Amino acid sequence: MRDRLADVTALLAMALAEDDTAVLADLAGELAALGDAVAAVQVRMRLDGAYDTHGAVVLVRAAAPDDPASTALAEALLRMYRQWADLHGLPTEVVTEHHASVAGLREATLVLAAPYAYGLLRGEDGRHAMTAADPFDHGRTRTGHALVEVSPLAQDDDPVALADEDLRVDLYCVRGPSRAGETRSTLHIRHLPTGIGVGLPYDRRARHRKAEAIRIIRSRLLVARGAPRDVRGYTAPSDFDGAARRPSP
């Protein structure tokens, strides 16, 4: 960054001496980009948690899987996290995605295998709420609730080991419409002591899928959070007491 700033300073002197407006415009863009880069470094200098430099596993779940407002919020949250990652050049992969029967999203798991993703996203961990107008009932609003769980993406040397006897591996096959004759297979791995489970499509990458599922389970076990959480599942109370956060674009 010092080298970039030195180059801009030297070019600026020449551009001013020659009154070169085109070069001045280019330098203004370079200074803006340099300012953004410095701001990003300043943010990362504050990320000093134990796992802040790790990638992230983001679990988004509708609080009530049969509530359209909640499933719509879960879908909106997943979309915003992916857009945010694209804006910052972070690679993403949606490894699990379960849609609601009517509309929206019941649950999805998003993996960001990029440095500092966990440090940048861990503030999103918790309960979210959003109130919006009901498109089918004018004049009425509905409030959707969703849970976001952010975990550091486990590395090979992280202190979380899973014993084989603690894992249950199941393969589910679901047949599609009779005319299509298509069969979909899902590999589901559950950690028996905690009930944490991950289901991934079972295909020719089966061995890779199993390793991927185990890594996600290790990630969700990696950090002991200050607030107790039932890792077997989450259901919002009827009044959804506690702090709720509105998602920002």
Side-chain angles (χ1 to χ4, degrees), residues 189-192 194-198 216-217 220-221 231-232:
I189 300 180
R190 181 174 297 277
H191 184 243
L192 298 176
T194 61
I196 292 178
V198 179
I216 292 174
I217 293 174
R220 295 180 62 188
L221 291 171
V231 295
R232 297 176 185 271

Side-chain angles (χ1 to χ4, degrees), residues 39-56 84 88 90 114-124:
V41 170
Q42 289 175 331
V43 169
R44 294 184 179 186
M45 287 174 64
R46 297 185 177 96
L47 302 179
D48 56 358
Y51 301 107
D52 281 356
T53 60
H54 283 42
W84 173 85
H88 291 81
L90 305 180
Y116 292 98
Y118 175 68
L120 293 170
L121 282 172
R122 59 183 168 90
E124 292 296 308

